[in-house]
Amino acid sequence: MGVSLGDDGKQILERAMKLAVDRYEKLNTLHVLLAFTDAGGLTGQLMGLHGITSERVRQALKSQADASRQDGKSQPSEPSTSIDRVSQTARDLAEQLPGRKVVSALHLLYALASVDGTLATRWLVLEHNTQSLTAQILGILTGTGRRAFHLEARGQSPEMSGAAPLQSRGADQPGPAPEQPVQEQPVLAPSRQQAYAKHPQHRTPQPINQLPIRPTSPWALDPKRFKVLSAAGVNLNELAARGKLDPLIGRRRELEAVMDILGKRKANNPCLLGEPGVGKTAIVEGFASMIVRDQVPERFRGRVLVKLGASGLVGGTGVRGALGERLIALRQEMERADGRIVLFFDDIHDLLRSSETGGEGVVQDFKEAMEHGMLPFVCTTTPADFKKISDTHPGFSRCLSVVTIDEPGEESTLNIVGILSEKYGSFHGVRIEDSAIHAAVTLTSRYMTGRRNPEKSLAMIDLAAARASRTATRILDREEVACAVADAVGVARERLTETDLSRLMELEKEVGARIVGHAVAIGAAAHTMRRNAAGFRGRRPIGSFLFLGPTGVGKTEMSKAMAEVIFDRPSSFVRFDMSEFSEPHSVARLVGAPPGYVGHDRGGELTGALMESPYKLVLFDEFEKAHPAVHRLLLQVLDEGRLTDAQGKTVDFSNTIIVMTSNMGSDVKPMSRTGFGNDQDHDDPFADYRARVLAVVREQMPPELFNRIDETIVFSPLSVEEVREIARRLLVSSAAQLSENRGVTMTWDEGLVDHLIASGGYDPGLGARPMKRTIQKVVEAQVADLILSGQAQPGGKVRITCKGDGTPTFRVVAPRARADGHAKESRDGGRKRRGQRDRAA
């Protein structure tokens, strides 16, 4: 009995012909697909379930026609035999399946989504999950919800050709009778129906209980034959068939290396080696998606990737020997699969660590199976963990073939994030602009150096989109992403929403407002950082400086001001007193103790501070007092912008400012200037002083270190007027603290500043420090006595004036609003105390 074309199949083909005639186009498979979108019944429900609408197919036809016109063709290009191939594939399918030998609309739809090289298949593969669609059609046609027969139809999906199926229907899973029609009735449990309907990829305007569809995949493993894999593993092919995995973008070289190693006869175990976040797992998941889409070489078609984690494989094996028995069962299942199942151990170091309770025999069993090619798997780990594996299990590590996965460059990351952002935007219901994608890549690359791309860029896109969805913002731009990055790394939002150029151009102004004098030093530091920001520094620090000059001139204060202006947060300033690092072993305090020594697991003070956030100004105070071993430690930091700690982790210094202060040359005194000098001397009276200080420093400092510093800045001694201005600022600071802590206002006249200068507040060789001590002794000590004695009350004032001889006078003004009430309270209190004394007498 031959196979005939059913009435519903005829209606589809007739409608497709009419659509092509109405559009003045030659009939192609996209017209047939468009006819299905307008059809009712079961095929119409399937199209709606997968989001295949008439509007989208019409747009695909229009785009194809526009592309053909640009190429100078009159019609879209596809093989002229495409319609015949679709029809023949539908006939073959109807002939091999049990039931009526009639080509229905379901047979045609399956063939339309399966035949390669047609316009319909190309569009469906790009836009939809054809594997899930064909699997659901087969489930309906066979009445089992799964692939029950090995089909030989032409144009069928790759997993249905070649090797035998991984699962087959048992005796307890009979198919329908030959003439039994498929009944349209709900087959999902109510809870399963609700969860399936709520998922964004399965939303449909029609109730789910009206669709006779089982959400199963032909890649599913038979739980009876593969008990361990089904219970402990995650089927990546099945997830890919359901559209749960993100596509793999780029990484062609790495993927080809993985396939070459898997294709080996022995030791066929690739190990993807890379830092967290670079995309190791994405490569394996992309490999599974390519297998499902038949985009892999012939030898890998039909293979199934199963992910096994430490918790799934080792969990519940507390009884001695239980883990060994589970691994034996796993090996038997792998042998039963005959190499068509590939395991995936993500973070294999966790599995090895968890299996240590099983004894060395567990690792030895793995090693023997790997050597003979009986246990094909892909694994991932980090360089540090791979070193631990090599040290602990050298035989096991030798069976692994390393494939290094590097962090993608900025251009590749932009491409990856740009493509995947569509999924994030669809999930959150926002439109992600190109500026947001660019900001995510550039800002995370700069501010989140402890993490790797593309993971950190996608994480910030996800976070910013989630916030936008919560606040009902429909468009995600650069500012939202910048705010997400700022909150993640602890940087002020304003610093990320403005450019570095604007901050650096205002550096002299903002630092100058905090530092008295030293305009030459401030300008030199600003010019150096602007030059480096323009792209002349490579991966070196933002700026490296050596501050020289006598004590108390403001070297440390200058460093604090630079940190506040550039990084705008208190934690951005890190100070090391180098007098504490005068011994050779003190290097371990900065980078951590080597393995085997006390404290090796705590890390170093310097590397630890930069790992948390690299945007800091690191001050090495009194640098000349450190041991030469510490000096040599900074050579790599100043030259390459990185440092490796005792645990082998590389710390990035490219976003750090390095400042070293020193008193070398402090014994050089400025020359008294008499007579006439040239114009340059009048413009910079301390030019000769700076030259003599630098000459001393060159003699005392190692040349390899001195030549790696961006700028050596000599701070000149402070003049009387500069110390006078410092005194005013210190008095303002003391008054602010007094008002905040005690509620007392302090005022003074200019005569107090003159008295402070005359009382030892100015010393050319000691800078501003004598003024601090003089203010503490002359002003703060006297005001403290007034407060503690009760004369200066909250809300009152302390006025400091100087008489003709310059001696300061402290006058207390009581709070005016409380004066009467306070006096009445004092009189009442006096009468009360006298009454108490009389009663006591």
Side-chain angles (χ1 to χ4, degrees):
M1 179 177 178
V3 178
S4 60
L5 184 63
D7 293 338
D8 55 349
K10 289 181 182 178
Q11 293 175 2
I12 291 293
L13 294 178
E14 291 174 356
R15 179 164 180 78
M17 180 61 71
K18 184 177 183 303
L19 289 170
V21 172
D22 293 342
R23 298 172 60 92
Y24 300 98
E25 296 172 349
K26 183 179 179 181
L27 178 66
N28 60 54
T29 52
L30 279 177
H31 296 106
V32 181
L33 188 63
L34 182 59
F36 273 109
T37 62
D38 296 334
L42 184 57
T43 55
Q45 295 179 17
L46 276 171
M47 303 293 278
L49 177 66
H50 286 267
I52 308 174
T53 62
S54 59
E55 291 79 7
R56 300 186 66 184
V57 180
R58 291 180 192 275
Q59 182 62 36
L61 277 167
K62 182 178 181 301
S63 300
Q64 193 67 31
D66 294 341
S68 299
R69 282 193 294 270
Q70 293 177 1
D71 295 338
K73 301 177 182 179
S74 59
Q75 281 294 323
S77 58
E78 81 171 0
S80 58
T81 59
S82 295
I83 300 294
D84 295 336
R85 291 169 58 205
V86 170
S87 301
Q88 186 59 46
T89 300
R91 290 176 181 273
D92 293 342
L93 179 64
E95 185 175 5
Q96 295 187 39
L97 288 177
R100 299 172 56 192
K101 305 302 179 182
V102 175
V103 177
S104 65
L106 277 175
H107 296 88
L108 280 176
L109 183 57
Y110 173 87
L112 192 67
S114 302
V115 176
D116 295 332
T118 68
L119 291 175
T121 306
R122 294 175 195 167
W123 182 79
L124 286 171
V125 167
L126 290 176
E127 299 288 335
H128 302 280
N129 188 351
T130 57
Q131 186 63 43
S132 177
L133 176 62
T134 55
Q136 290 174 352
I137 294 174
L138 285 176
I140 296 171
L141 292 174
T142 60
T144 63
R146 63 181 69 184
R147 175 169 56 86
F149 297 93
H150 174 45
L151 304 179
E152 298 292 345
R154 289 177 295 175
Q156 59 200 7
S157 55
E159 70 276 6
M160 295 183 181
S161 60
L166 292 180
Q167 67 175 24
S168 60
R169 189 182 69 236
D172 57 340
Q173 299 172 336
E179 298 297 329
Q180 180 179 356
V182 178
Q183 298 181 358
E184 300 189 3
Q185 58 183 0
V187 297
L188 301 178
S191 59
R192 184 76 178 273
Q193 292 173 359
Q194 295 172 4
Y196 192 71
K198 290 180 179 179
H199 195 281
Q201 295 184 353
H202 302 287
R203 288 173 184 160
T204 173
Q206 300 168 344
I208 194 68
N209 56 9
Q210 294 182 7
L211 300 179
I213 299 171
R214 295 168 174 88
T216 58
S217 167
W219 299 98
L221 301 178
D222 188 352
K224 295 183 178 180
R225 299 182 61 200
F226 304 99
K227 184 177 180 181
V228 176
L229 290 173
S230 299
V234 177
N235 192 326
L236 296 183
N237 288 47
E238 191 171 9
L239 293 179
R242 296 179 180 178
K244 303 290 187 180
L245 303 181
D246 291 337
L248 179 64
I249 304 165
R251 300 293 192 183
R252 182 178 184 85
R253 178 189 63 82
E254 293 84 351
L255 185 59
E256 290 177 350
V258 170
M259 290 190 290
D260 291 342
I261 298 171
L262 282 174
K264 293 169 61 179
R265 179 170 172 263
K266 294 183 178 180
N268 51 356
N269 306 108
C271 177
L272 304 184
L273 190 66
E275 298 294 340
V278 298
K280 303 185 296 295
T281 304
I283 293 176
V284 182
E285 293 179 349
F287 185 33
S289 299
M290 293 176 67
I291 293 176
V292 170
R293 295 183 178 182
D294 193 22
Q295 298 174 343
V296 293
E298 181 68 29
R299 68 182 308 167
F300 295 107
R301 293 182 177 180
R303 293 203 182 187
V304 179
L305 271 73
V306 179
K307 180 179 179 180
L308 280 176
S311 59
L313 191 60
V314 183
T317 58
V319 180
R320 185 174 182 85
L323 178 58
E325 294 177 359
R326 182 172 295 181
L327 293 177
I328 293 175
L330 176 63
R331 286 187 55 178
Q332 293 175 349
E333 293 179 7
M334 295 295 293
E335 294 175 1
R336 192 179 303 125
D338 195 20
R340 287 167 47 237
I341 292 180
V342 178
L343 301 179
F344 172 40
F345 296 114
D346 202 5
D347 294 332
I348 193 170
H349 49 272
D350 292 337
L351 176 63
L352 294 178
R353 190 180 302 115
S354 301
S355 62
E356 289 177 355
T357 56
E360 182 65 24
V362 173
V363 179
Q364 185 65 25
D365 290 342
F366 264 92
K367 177 178 173 294
E368 292 178 359
M370 292 162 61
E371 289 176 344
H372 295 85
M374 302 167 56
L375 193 67
F377 67 79
V378 185
C379 65
T380 66
T381 188
T382 63
D385 290 312
F386 184 77
K387 185 178 183 303
K388 295 178 182 178
I389 294 175
S390 301
D391 295 339
T392 309
H393 309 289
F396 182 87
S397 63
R398 284 196 298 268
C399 295
L400 299 175
S401 299
V402 173
V403 179
T404 303
I405 310 298
D406 297 322
E407 183 178 13
E410 183 173 340
E411 184 177 354
S412 300
T413 304
L414 283 171
N415 186 33
I416 294 171
V417 178
I419 294 176
L420 295 181
S421 62
E422 297 180 2
K423 284 197 169 187
Y424 289 93
S426 176
F427 180 83
H428 294 289
V430 299
R431 181 166 64 87
I432 302 176
E433 294 186 344
D434 293 341
S435 62
I437 297 172
H438 189 268
V441 176
T442 56
L443 293 179
T444 56
S445 298
R446 179 175 180 187
Y447 287 90
M448 303 177 68
T449 55
R451 298 169 64 177
R452 299 293 185 272
N453 269 320
E455 181 271 335
K456 59 183 179 182
S457 295
L458 291 172
M460 291 301 103
I461 287 285
D462 197 8
L463 176 60
R467 290 181 177 179
S469 177
R470 175 176 56 83
T471 58
T473 304
R474 297 305 177 190
I475 298 177
L476 186 67
D477 57 12
R478 184 187 188 280
E479 186 173 356
E480 280 76 17
V481 174
C483 292
V485 176
D487 293 341
V489 300
V491 178
R493 293 186 176 186
E494 295 78 9
R495 292 305 185 190
L496 269 68
T497 53
E498 65 177 349
T499 62
D500 288 340
L501 181 61
S502 62
R503 295 205 302 272
L504 292 176
M505 294 304 293
E506 298 291 332
L507 188 60
E508 290 99 334
K509 179 181 177 182
E510 296 194 26
V511 175
R514 293 169 168 84
I515 300 298
V516 177
H518 305 306
V520 176
I522 296 173
H527 290 146
T528 299
M529 284 189 285
R530 280 197 289 264
R531 182 187 69 236
N532 291 343
F536 295 101
R537 66 184 174 102
R539 295 295 299 175
R540 300 173 65 234
I542 298 174
S544 57
F545 304 97
L546 176 61
F547 288 173
L548 302 171
T551 180
V553 295
K555 301 187 293 295
T556 302
E557 290 299 322
M558 171 87 162
S559 303
K560 292 180 180 179
M562 291 171 57
E564 292 176 5
V565 171
I566 296 177
F567 301 123
D568 195 31
R569 50 184 175 142
S571 61
S572 62
F573 180 78
V574 180
R575 179 179 177 271
F576 292 95
D577 188 350
M578 302 311 290
S579 62
E580 301 176 0
F581 297 86
S582 58
E583 300 295 333
H585 59 77
S586 58
V587 175
R589 287 184 53 190
L590 296 176
V591 297
Y597 287 79
V598 176
H600 70 277
D601 56 340
R602 291 197 296 265
E605 296 177 12
L606 174 61
T607 55
L610 271 294
M611 280 183 179
E612 297 174 0
S613 175
Y615 280 80
K616 289 183 172 66
L617 187 147
V618 181
L619 173 65
F620 298 101
D621 208 2
E622 299 187 66
F623 184 72
E624 77 281 0
K625 296 181 180 179
H627 192 272
V630 178
H631 295 172
R632 292 190 294 268
L633 185 70
L634 294 183
L635 293 178
Q636 186 180 9
V637 174
L638 300 178
D639 195 27
E640 301 179 1
R642 61 186 180 89
L643 183 65
T644 303
D645 66 359
Q647 298 179 349
K649 298 180 181 178
T650 301
V651 183
D652 185 16
F653 281 78
S654 61
N655 297 304
T656 305
I657 300 176
I658 304 296
V659 177
M660 295 164 281
T661 66
S662 174
N663 292 327
M664 289 186 292
S666 59
D667 54 343
V668 177
K669 304 299 181 183
M671 297 179 62
S672 59
R673 312 193 62 80
T674 59
F676 297 94
N678 55 35
D679 295 337
Q680 182 179 0
D681 291 338
H682 283 292
D683 294 338
D684 188 1
F686 292 100
D688 180 72
Y689 167 76
R690 294 191 182 93
R692 288 187 290 131
V693 171
L694 287 177
V696 173
V697 172
R698 287 193 181 97
E699 294 178 358
Q700 299 182 11
M701 199 169 187
E704 64 273 13
L705 179 61
F706 184 82
N707 291 329
R708 282 175 168 84
I709 299 172
D710 289 335
E711 191 72 29
T712 302
I713 300 175
V714 180
F715 285 67
S716 10
L718 295 174
S719 64
V720 176
E721 290 302 321
E722 290 172 342
V723 175
R724 191 184 298 274
E725 176 60 26
I726 292 174
R728 297 188 187 101
R729 297 191 180 190
L730 291 176
L731 288 172
V732 171
S733 176
S734 297
Q737 295 178 8
L738 185 63
S739 176
E740 180 180 356
N741 297 330
R742 290 290 183 172
V744 177
T745 303
M746 185 176 73
T747 61
W748 61 91
D749 58 13
E750 189 64 20
L752 176 61
V753 178
D754 296 334
H755 176 74
L756 293 174
I757 294 290
S759 301
Y762 174 68
D763 187 332
L766 298 178
R769 287 196 172 94
M771 180 56 70
K772 292 183 179 180
R773 292 193 297 269
T774 303
I775 290 177
Q776 292 173 357
K777 180 177 63 175
V778 174
V779 178
E780 294 181 354
Q782 301 299 325
V783 175
D785 290 341
L786 295 175
I787 293 175
L788 296 179
S789 64
Q791 299 180 51
Q793 297 291 332
K797 295 181 180 180
V798 176
R799 294 178 180 176
I800 308 174
T801 58
C802 291
K803 299 179 180 180
D805 59 353
T807 303
T809 301
F810 295 81
R811 180 185 173 209
V812 179
V813 180
R816 179 173 300 176
R818 298 176 53 195
D820 297 339
H822 179 70
K824 181 177 184 299
E825 182 180 354
S826 300
R827 291 194 297 270
D828 294 343
R831 286 195 294 266
K832 184 182 298 184
R833 286 192 294 272
R834 286 194 298 272
Q836 291 175 351
R837 286 197 300 267
D838 294 341
R839 286 193 297 272

